[in-house]
């Protein structure tokens, strides 16, 4: 967030559409809603795959889709610990399709966001997924904010964001009649979509192409197979064993983990050492007060302490506004004086995994890890994917598929 700039998003609303229902197990190919595993299909105790992807969020499902479309002859499975797909970060998302205006020019973040937003709009159009390209105004309400606003506008142009305009007071009122501001950036390519619906559509594409989705499979261990039926691993095709908390197992040749909030836990299961760039969050987030605040429980980490110290005042202010609607309304009245507390509805808590270095800086690039030994050569851990990952999911999946193809020589 650029300091001293105010943000105003156009009329909001959640895109609605048919979603997949709950399912304990699912396998493909399938049409429409994923169907339960039936006789003759794969089961947790006997299944084997060429590639297994751990993590049924939007990045994992987009990557699974990209891989199976590139390599239709391979058997590919997705494992998800919950009974439904896309219920963590993807299901607790703002729903914004970001334009890419904020990010450093020439950065991977900026390129993936601009490219990913265009691909996402195209995909939603093709699949009939409801979305709204409502646009956004980034508004300066005080004179000293205008230079920063103009600098942000130039950054957006450098990033290739389409349709940007600097507009004055009269044009602000034409776009948003109740908005007050001296100058604004009109960003017409910002939109909103239900990202869980997008993720489930990725899953449907994956299954139709022959992929398998297994839910309620919480990974407990990832290890090399110790022996085959003959007492030796010689000649075995599926050398990796993935076990769940119920004692069931999956065998495969290669593993790709896109576990988001659980990325550190999953990577450690395969013997991959901790990465000093990553905060070891465990993903155990709790709602302290319903619909008000949430907390992520993590280990004490120097980078986290530094981040909190550097942003203490801002963080406390944001938490205060999140907990007290009156404070939120007072802040919003800088842009829309007529707004009252009766115009505000509480939304659900948001969830986001983010790698953090030891100096308290956000890691803004991919972190790919494998590990050591024989198993390390057969596993790719996606321990960090550049935000905004949902907007960029299709573009990100291409990079992950490239990395998989190169590492495993597919």
């Amino acid at each position: 967030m650029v300091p001293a700039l105010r943000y105003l998003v156009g009329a909001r609303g959640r895109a609605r559409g048919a979603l997949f229902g709950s399912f304990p197990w699912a396998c493909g190919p399938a049409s429409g809603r994923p169907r339960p595993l039936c006789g003759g299909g794969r089961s947790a105790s006997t299944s084997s795959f060429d590639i297994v992807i751990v993590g049924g969020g939007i990045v994992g499902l987009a990557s699974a889709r990209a891989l199976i479309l590139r390599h239709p002859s391979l058997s590919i499975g997705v494992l998800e610990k919950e009974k439904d797909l896309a219920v963590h970060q993807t299901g607790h998302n703002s729903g914004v399709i970001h334009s890419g205006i904020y990010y450093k020019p020439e950065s991977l973040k900026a390129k993936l966001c601009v490219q990913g937003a265009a691909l996402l709009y195209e995909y939603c159009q093709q699949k009939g997924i409801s979305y709204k390209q409502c646009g956004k105004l980034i508004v300066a309400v005080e004179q000293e904010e205008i230079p920063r606003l103009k600098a942000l506008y130039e950054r957006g142009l450098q990033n290739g964001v389409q349709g940007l305009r600097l507009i004055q007071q009269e044009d602000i009122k034409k776009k948003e009649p109740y908005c007050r501001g001296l100058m604004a950036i009109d960003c017409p390519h910002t939109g909103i979509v239900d990202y869980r619906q997008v993720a489930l559509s990725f899953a449907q594409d994956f299954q139709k192409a022959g992929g398998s989705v297994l839910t309620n499979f919480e990974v407990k261990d990832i290890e090399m197979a110790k022996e085959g039926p003959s007492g030796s691993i010689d000649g075995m095709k599926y050398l990796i064993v993935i076990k769940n908390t119920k004692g069931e197992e999956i065998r495969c040749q290669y593993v790709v983990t896109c576990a988001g909030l659980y990325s550190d836990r999953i990577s450690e299961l395969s013997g991959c050492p901790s990465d000093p760039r990553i905060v070891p969050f465990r993903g155990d987030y709790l709602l302290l007060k319903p619909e008000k605040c949430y907390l992520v429980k993590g280990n004490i980490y120097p980078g986290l302490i530094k981040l909190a110290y550097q942003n203490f005042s801002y963080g406390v202010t944001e938490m205060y506004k999140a907990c007290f609607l009156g404070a939120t309304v007072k802040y919003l009245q800088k842009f829309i004086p007529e707004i009252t507390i009766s115009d505000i509805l509480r939304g659900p808590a948001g969830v986001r995994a983010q790698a953090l270095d030891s100096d308290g800086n956000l890691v803004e690039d991919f972190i790919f890890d494998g590990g050591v030994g024989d198993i390390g050569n057969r596993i790719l851990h996606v321990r960090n994917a550049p935000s905004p990952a949902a907007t960029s999911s299709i573009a990100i999946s291409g990079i992950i598929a490239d990395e998989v193809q190169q590492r495993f020589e597919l």
Side-chain angles (χ1 to χ4, degrees):
M1 182 173 180
V2 179
L5 284 182
R6 316 302 190 213
Y7 300 84
L8 177 71
V9 179
R12 296 179 60 87
R14 276 284 183 182
R16 300 292 181 187
L19 298 179
F20 296 157
S22 301
F23 52 96
W25 291 89
C27 63
S31 177
R33 175 179 297 183
R35 55 188 172 84
L37 189 68
C38 52
R42 299 181 188 274
S43 69
S45 59
T46 62
S47 287
S48 58
F49 299 94
D50 293 314
I51 300 174
V52 163
I53 295 171
V54 179
I58 195 167
V59 172
L61 293 169
S63 300
R65 173 181 175 271
L67 281 168
I68 205 165
L69 292 178
R70 287 192 192 188
H71 305 282
S73 63
L74 297 180
S75 59
I76 303 177
V78 172
L79 306 181
E80 166 56 41
K81 71 185 289 288
E82 306 294 350
K83 66 183 179 68
D84 294 310
L85 296 171
V87 296
H88 286 278
Q89 287 189 89
T90 307
H92 294 78
N93 193 284
S94 68
V96 175
I97 302 174
H98 295 277
S99 65
I101 189 173
Y102 303 114
Y103 312 120
K104 184 179 178 181
E106 302 300 320
S107 67
L108 184 62
K109 221 176 182 185
K111 293 176 181 177
L112 288 176
C113 185
V114 173
Q115 178 188 0
L119 290 171
L120 183 59
Y121 279 126
E122 182 181 358
Y123 180 82
C124 290
Q125 194 76 24
Q126 290 174 350
K127 296 294 181 177
I129 296 173
S130 298
Y131 69 91
K132 186 173 183 179
Q133 191 174 326
C134 54
K136 172 169 66 176
L137 293 182
I138 304 173
V139 183
V141 296
E142 297 175 5
Q143 196 68 38
E144 57 267 25
E145 296 173 346
I146 291 178
R148 295 186 180 92
L149 188 77
K150 290 181 177 179
L152 184 59
Y153 171 73
E154 293 298 328
R155 171 174 285 197
L157 294 180
Q158 292 178 60
N159 287 344
V161 180
Q162 300 296 308
L164 293 181
R165 293 190 306 145
L166 274 176
I167 60 176
Q168 306 299 322
Q169 282 182 310
E170 57 273 17
D171 290 320
I172 292 174
K173 290 184 178 180
K174 290 177 182 177
K175 295 285 292 186
E176 292 286 349
Y178 293 98
C179 179
R180 166 186 172 266
L182 303 177
M183 183 181 291
I185 300 172
D186 180 12
C187 189
H189 282 269
T190 300
I192 51 176
V193 71
D194 185 332
Y195 277 116
R196 186 161 187 263
Q197 186 180 359
V198 174
L200 295 177
S201 182
F202 289 161
Q204 187 172 6
D205 293 345
F206 172 66
Q207 290 181 291
K208 284 182 177 180
S212 300
V213 176
L214 286 74
T215 57
N216 272 333
F217 195 103
E218 182 174 356
V219 175
K220 181 182 179 181
D221 194 21
I222 304 174
E223 61 184 9
M224 292 293 290
K226 293 179 174 62
E227 60 180 29
S230 62
S232 170
I233 65 171
D234 293 341
M236 286 179 59
K237 180 180 180 182
Y238 304 109
L239 294 174
I240 296 182
V241 178
I242 304 174
K243 297 178 181 179
N244 69 7
T245 53
K246 302 174 185 176
E248 301 162 326
E249 67 178 45
I250 296 290
R251 293 195 175 219
C252 61
Q253 293 192 70
Y254 304 106
V255 179
V256 180
T257 70
C258 301
L261 291 164
Y262 296 87
S263 61
D264 65 304
R265 174 180 288 173
I266 296 298
S267 61
E268 288 170 3
L269 291 178
S270 65
C272 184
S274 297
D275 191 310
R277 295 169 292 177
I278 299 176
V279 175
F281 279 162
R282 300 302 187 187
D284 302 321
Y285 51 91
L286 304 172
L287 288 178
L288 298 182
K289 296 180 180 179
E291 304 296 319
K292 289 188 178 182
C293 303
Y294 72 92
L295 172 68
V296 179
K297 293 165 58 181
N299 297 345
I300 299 299
Y301 177 71
L304 179 61
I305 295 173
K306 290 179 181 178
L307 177 71
Y309 177 77
Q310 293 163 5
N311 298 276
F312 182 79
S313 178
Y314 177 78
V316 169
T317 300
E318 291 301 304
M319 291 176 66
Y320 180 81
K321 288 191 295 185
C323 292
F324 300 99
L325 277 183
T328 300
V329 170
K330 184 177 180 181
Y331 177 76
L332 293 175
Q333 285 173 341
K334 294 181 179 180
F335 323 109
I336 306 176
E338 291 87 353
I339 200 167
T340 66
I341 199 165
S342 63
D343 298 314
I344 305 299
L345 296 176
R346 290 196 180 277
V351 180
R352 176 183 169 187
Q354 173 64 56
L356 192 68
D357 69 19
S358 59
D359 292 323
N361 301 312
L362 305 185
V363 178
E364 298 184 352
D365 203 346
F366 284 99
I367 298 178
F368 290 133
D369 273 334
V372 296
D374 291 337
I375 195 169
N377 296 326
R378 292 178 171 271
I379 295 183
L380 172 65
H381 296 296
V382 183
R383 300 183 71 169
N384 191 59
S387 176
T391 297
S392 308
S393 56
I394 300 177
I396 286 173
S397 71
I399 290 183
I400 293 174
D402 288 342
E403 186 73 16
V404 170
Q405 188 168 317
Q406 179 181 344
R407 287 203 180 203
F408 303 150
E409 299 180 351
L410 299 181

